[in-house]
Amino acid sequence: MPRMRIIVLAGIATAASTAALVLPAQADTPTRRDAPAAPCKYPADVLDLTNWKMTLPTGDDEDPTEITQPHLATFSAKPWFQVNEECDAVRFRAAVDGVTTGGSSYPRAELREMTDGGEDEASWSATEGTHTLVVTEAFLALPNDKPHVVGAQVHGGDDDVTVFRLEGSKLYITDGDDSRHHLVTDDYELGTEFEAKFVAKDGEIGVYYNGDLETTISHDGDTNYFKAGAYTQANCGNSDPCDSDNYGEVQISSIEVTHS
């Protein structure tokens, strides 16, 4: 039976230069010329990445490439980490044959929360203060055979605490090892933008979808941090073909972290 590739392609934006309109010469009638907007070049031109580092699905075995500040401010890596054609979002892509970390068998193109202008890794307690991540994102592509991708998560110590995970058309919020803890929707369409939000305080994590509280996760860990991007939950052992054309992809147009 032929396999069906699950993917959505972004529309091709057509750019056209328009000559400035010059009115016939008249007394006291100025000529108006609008300066064109400067095009974006790097993901940091679209998202505030001051307190993040980037992990790519490239590099050496169990030692993927990491980009930290200040280099992240002027970095992109097509097609894994790049601005979209409209210059209003950043695309994250991880192919099934990508390099993985030592603690996972799955590839990722993913941001990891940092502090102090990107110098130190974030690590906060779910029982002290309030910690919030708000991400506006859309899943764009899923790998073959095992069409699962994580788009945003709260990570604690050595494992994830709760994530937004798309499996085909079913969008779940997880709770530890329970990958199907809460079903948000069973008819998600690739390319649909939504707001994912985590609020951690008083030993609980409230998880919101488009402003609505979907579920609350009990968690009292003190080594937590946020992550966002494309964490593809498939590899060459369970998804074919084993090449860079078989991937998960997520687009993020806004990301904000607050601690209080």
Side-chain angles (χ1 to χ4, degrees), residues 36-103:
C40 61
K41 186 175 182 180
Y42 305 111
D45 294 333
V46 179
L47 304 176
D48 182 358
L49 300 180
T50 303
N51 282 313
W52 297 95
K53 73 175 179 179
M54 182 67 193
T55 302
L56 296 167
T58 61
D60 298 324
D61 185 33
E62 296 190 355
D63 186 22
T65 303
E66 287 191 342
I67 308 299
T68 58
Q69 294 290 5
H71 304 293
L72 185 58
T74 54
F75 177 84
S76 65
K78 186 177 181 179
W80 316 117
F81 178 57
Q82 62 179 334
V83 295
N84 67 350
E85 293 185 10
E86 293 78 16
C87 257
D88 60 5
V90 177
R91 301 179 75 162
F92 299 76
R93 180 186 296 187
V96 297
D97 63 346
V99 173
T100 68
T101 63

Side-chain angles (χ1 to χ4, degrees), residues 121-142:
E121 293 187 341
S123 181
W124 43 263
S125 172
T127 60
E128 298 179 7
T130 301
H131 314 277
T132 304
L133 170 67
V134 182
V135 182
T136 303
E137 65 183 353
F139 292 91
L140 299 186
L142 301 176

